[in-house]
Amino acid sequence: MIFDRSWVEIDLAAFRHNLRQLKSLLPAGVDFMQIVKADAYGHGALEIGRIAIDEGAKYLGVANVEEGKLLRVQGCKAPILILSPSLENEIEQIVGYDLRPCVSQLSFALALQKEALKRSKRINIHLKLDSGMHRSGVGLEQFEELYYEVQGLSQIRIEGVCSHFASSEEDLEFSISQLQCFESILQKLQPKPAVIHIANSSAVVNKLLGVSNMARLGILSFGVYTNESQKEIIQLKTVMSFKSRIALIKQIKAGEGLGYNLTWIAPKDSRYAVVPVGYADGYDFMLSNKAKVSIHSQLCDVIGKVSMDMICVDISQIPDAELMDEVILMGAVNQLHPEQLSSLYHGSSYELLCQVGRRAKRYYLENDAVSHSTPLARRDFVSSDFSDFKLSQIIQSAISQRLQNEEMGELISREILKYFFFNKDQDIHYRKDFCYYIRLDECKQANHWQATMKLNFKKVLQNDYLIVACANNAQALNRYFIKRDVEYRWLLDNSITLSEEYFHLTQVYVNDLLLNTSLKLTDSCIEIRCEHPQLKHLVGKEVAFSIEVQSYYPKASHQFSVYINELTHGVKVKLSYPDEIKNMEIVPIFSGQNRFPSVDHSPGCVTVQTAIDQWIFPISGIVFAY
Ligand SMILES: *Cc1c(COP(=O)(O)O)cnc(C)c1O
């Protein structure tokens, strides 16, 4: 049972069924592209794409570079075609993410050629003909010229030629004229492009394929008819259902008005339910006083205006309706099919599909059982800073593993990514070539080791100064964990006086600049500010940090911990210790690509390290116990 305020169910078996129906209408030799733009019309591009490919889709179609990029980051390897015109500033990413653009103008092709040359890559494109819709595409008169000019570009391969119908679901005559225009051009082209496509899903049903060898399947694959007549040719099943539950049950007296502006006046004493979805959830405002919902398999009227977050439903005819009863708002129920709902307000079923369930979690059903669900925060984003798919997977699986819960893992990792990369103003850069040397030596201070620490790493310099902090209690030190200008933290045992004598910054370098230091001593902390007039020229650049400090460590504590609290690429930690320590145990607690770093232990010296290209995720660490 699902107990969300509202949710969307995606019936993957129905989607498969629809695809098979549509495929059966394709002549031999005609492949198909699954259209997954706008998150597959709200159904989830990743899941829909996955099943479509399983069913034989040769391409996925997206609207723009962002959508293509997201699929790539999620691990999709299929050819992806960008249907809408791209902007020149998107070219770098188009090439970087191996996406295929539809091209309608020479200037874009030239810009593409330039980028491709720069990277010594060859790029597949589809040239688009405007065969009469007069939206994107190049006109009939200029098409041939464009075709041959682009063909002359060394780095560009015209893989496909395509066009788009303006009205394939209802205007057969005009569609045929478009098809003829398309075919007349194709006849002339030498050599012929490998992939030829013009038909959307309605065109497939209306047999408007002509010389195509590929069809682009969208709305019908989601089980939404675009014309009544299609029902005689093809049996489709609605894939998406939008559901909620009764949150309140109330009575209203004859003559009383309900909802904003009291647009519904009770014709008789009535009983009604408040359902916690509104237009902010994608339940269209235009459905006010028009739509029905299904409760206990009975249709009930939506009464009054749809509010932002609530609707009211007349349940007078269902005396046994109770709180928490399921309410079907849209789905495979007569009168609740998306095309039926949108026709109530002369709207678009395409739009309704895209907008529905804005706040809802999607549940994927396979054979009537929930196979998996997407997290609530499914508004995916991909930052250009975050192009390492592997890293994303590592982070996610590391968290999932720790939480023993995949969904939470995904949610949290998204939050973390957002934190790291989305909020550009707090850009955090990872550390790399992280080397940390610790030496424990005998010293004059009774019952203590002298500890010498040397930390080297590379990182993009974020400020023209940095802070080294030392505190004698964890709470005080914690403050320095959230500050981004702190590059080194040390917890001094509270048996030791907090003073410069017992925590001493020997030297700190950024590249070859020896930084000047100034010390601030408070009750619980030593804060050392390190700066240099030249540092400001290095901000934003990757620099080498070298920090050397001296302190003391109580012998009696019997363990020494090293924390890795920033995203780090490659870790090496080396601890040298005196003979007096007989038994040294090393417990690495790593999350990341390799949870088991190599541990090399010889008398008096331990080295714990990962390969230099392995990601270590915060918070990892090593406990040295003696
Ligand atoms: C959206 C789209 C489709 C899919 O159309 P449906 O009517 O949903 O089948 C096909 N081709 C292009 C270029 C599109 O943008």
Side-chain angles (χ1 to χ4, degrees), residues 33 35 37 41 83-84 128 135 163-164 168 198-202 216-222 226 350:
M33 168 188 302
I35 303 299
K37 65 190 179 199
Y41 301 26
L83 303 166
S84 300
K128 185 152 188 192
R135 196 177 58 177
S163 189
H164 192 49
S168 64
I198 182 170
N200 61 341
S201 48
S202 307
R216 303 186 301 257
L217 304 183
I219 192 127
L220 295 185
S221 69
F222 303 116
T226 53
Y350 292 81

Side-chain angles (χ1 to χ4, degrees), residues 339-360:
E339 61 272 40
Q340 291 174 315
L341 284 181
S342 60
S343 75
L344 291 176
Y345 58 97
H346 307 292
S348 152
S349 54
Y350 292 81
E351 185 194 38
L352 190 58
L353 289 175
C354 297
Q355 77 186 31
V356 128
R358 278 184 183 136
R359 285 174 176 152

Side-chain angles (χ1 to χ4, degrees), residues 274-438:
V274 179
V275 182
V277 291
Y279 54 79
D281 301 274
Y283 193 80
D284 205 282
F285 177 75
M286 298 297 281
L287 292 167
S288 299
N289 284 310
K290 288 199 175 82
K292 295 184 188 301
V293 303
S294 170
I295 299 170
H296 293 202
S297 304
Q298 293 188 53
L299 291 171
C300 307
D301 289 329
V302 171
I303 52 179
K305 281 191 179 174
V306 172
S307 302
M308 190 181 285
D309 314 297
M310 279 178 260
I311 56 172
C312 295
V313 175
D314 187 352
I315 53 167
S316 304
Q317 85 268 30
I318 315 175
D320 58 343
E322 290 177 21
L323 292 183
M324 293 305 283
D325 282 352
E326 183 175 293
V327 179
I328 305 176
L329 303 154
M330 187 181 93
V333 173
N334 190 25
Q335 299 201 39
L336 302 186
H337 291 290
E339 61 272 40
Q340 291 174 315
L341 284 181
S342 60
S343 75
L344 291 176
Y345 58 97
H346 307 292
S348 152
S349 54
Y350 292 81
E351 185 194 38
L352 190 58
L353 289 175
C354 297
Q355 77 186 31
V356 128
R358 278 184 183 136
R359 285 174 176 152
K361 191 163 150 176
R362 278 195 213 106
Y363 290 88
Y364 290 90
L365 306 184
E366 246 170 335
N367 310 318
D368 286 338
V370 175
S371 67
H372 63 290
S373 61
T374 57
L376 206 50
R378 71 176 162 77
R379 296 188 95 206
D380 289 299
F381 79 95
V382 191
S383 152
S384 50
D385 300 338
F386 190 71
S387 52
D388 194 322
F389 167 63
K390 232 180 181 169
L391 172 61
S392 144
Q393 282 206 319
I394 294 154
I395 293 171
Q396 200 165 309
S397 65
I399 300 171
S400 307
Q401 225 167 38
R402 286 199 169 186
L403 293 170
Q404 310 230 311
N405 179 329
E406 257 182 49
E407 184 189 332
M408 284 301 287
E410 198 180 331
L411 256 175
I412 292 173
S413 75
R414 262 166 223 234
E415 283 307 305
I416 290 170
L417 292 183
K418 246 186 266 184
Y419 182 72
F420 279 169
F421 298 108
F422 195 57
N423 304 323
K424 290 260 168 72
D425 55 340
Q426 50 177 13
D427 237 345
I428 188 168
H429 293 88
Y430 60 87
R431 292 175 163 189
K432 79 185 196 199
D433 303 342
F434 179 95
C435 290
Y436 190 31
Y437 300 105
I438 307 137

Side-chain angles (χ1 to χ4, degrees), residues 204-262:
V204 169
V205 175
N206 283 338
K207 310 224 170 326
L208 293 164
L209 286 156
V211 295
S212 310
N213 56 16
M214 189 167 76
R216 303 186 301 257
L217 304 183
I219 192 127
L220 295 185
S221 69
F222 303 116
V224 176
Y225 291 100
T226 53
N227 191 306
E228 277 294 309
S229 65
Q230 292 162 343
K231 295 184 179 169
E232 285 159 30
I233 303 170
I234 189 166
Q235 249 52 72
L236 301 175
K237 296 181 179 173
T238 303
V239 175
M240 182 191 287
S241 307
F242 185 29
K243 299 184 177 177
S244 181
R245 292 189 184 278
I246 295 179
L248 269 181
I249 293 179
K250 294 173 67 178
Q251 314 280 344
I252 188 166
K253 290 207 173 63
E256 288 178 331
L258 173 149
Y260 281 117
N261 314 114
L262 308 173

Side-chain angles (χ1 to χ4, degrees), residues 111-282:
L112 209 54
Q113 161 82 0
K114 211 166 128 192
E115 178 72 18
L117 270 176
K118 210 162 85 191
R119 302 199 190 199
S120 320
K121 273 200 179 178
R122 193 132 191 266
I123 296 164
N124 286 304
I125 68 161
H126 291 216
L127 270 194
K128 185 152 188 192
L129 168 74
D130 174 4
S131 56
M133 183 172 178
H134 299 127
R135 196 177 58 177
S136 61
V138 58
L140 186 62
E141 301 73 31
Q142 303 95 47
F143 188 87
E144 262 186 288
E145 192 186 337
L146 178 64
Y147 187 82
Y148 292 113
E149 265 178 296
V150 174
Q151 215 169 52
L153 301 175
S154 60
Q155 307 309 108
I156 295 187
R157 170 174 173 248
I158 305 176
E159 177 186 57
V161 166
C162 58
S163 189
H164 192 49
F165 288 117
S167 192
S168 64
E169 77 284 10
E170 59 177 37
D171 192 340
L172 216 52
E173 198 181 324
F174 188 72
S175 300
I176 289 169
S177 78
Q178 282 191 276
L179 191 57
Q180 283 167 347
C181 166
F182 185 58
E183 296 190 315
S184 71
I185 276 286
L186 278 159
Q187 239 172 18
K188 298 190 206 158
L189 302 179
Q190 261 333 311
K192 298 257 176 285
V195 189
I196 297 167
H197 50 111
I198 182 170
N200 61 341
S201 48
S202 307
V204 169
V205 175
N206 283 338
K207 310 224 170 326
L208 293 164
L209 286 156
V211 295
S212 310
N213 56 16
M214 189 167 76
R216 303 186 301 257
L217 304 183
I219 192 127
L220 295 185
S221 69
F222 303 116
V224 176
Y225 291 100
T226 53
N227 191 306
E228 277 294 309
S229 65
Q230 292 162 343
K231 295 184 179 169
E232 285 159 30
I233 303 170
I234 189 166
Q235 249 52 72
L236 301 175
K237 296 181 179 173
T238 303
V239 175
M240 182 191 287
S241 307
F242 185 29
K243 299 184 177 177
S244 181
R245 292 189 184 278
I246 295 179
L248 269 181
I249 293 179
K250 294 173 67 178
Q251 314 280 344
I252 188 166
K253 290 207 173 63
E256 288 178 331
L258 173 149
Y260 281 117
N261 314 114
L262 308 173
T263 57
W264 186 79
I265 308 292
K268 55 177 176 42
D269 290 359
S270 306
R271 186 164 173 263
Y272 66 98
V274 179
V275 182
V277 291
Y279 54 79
D281 301 274

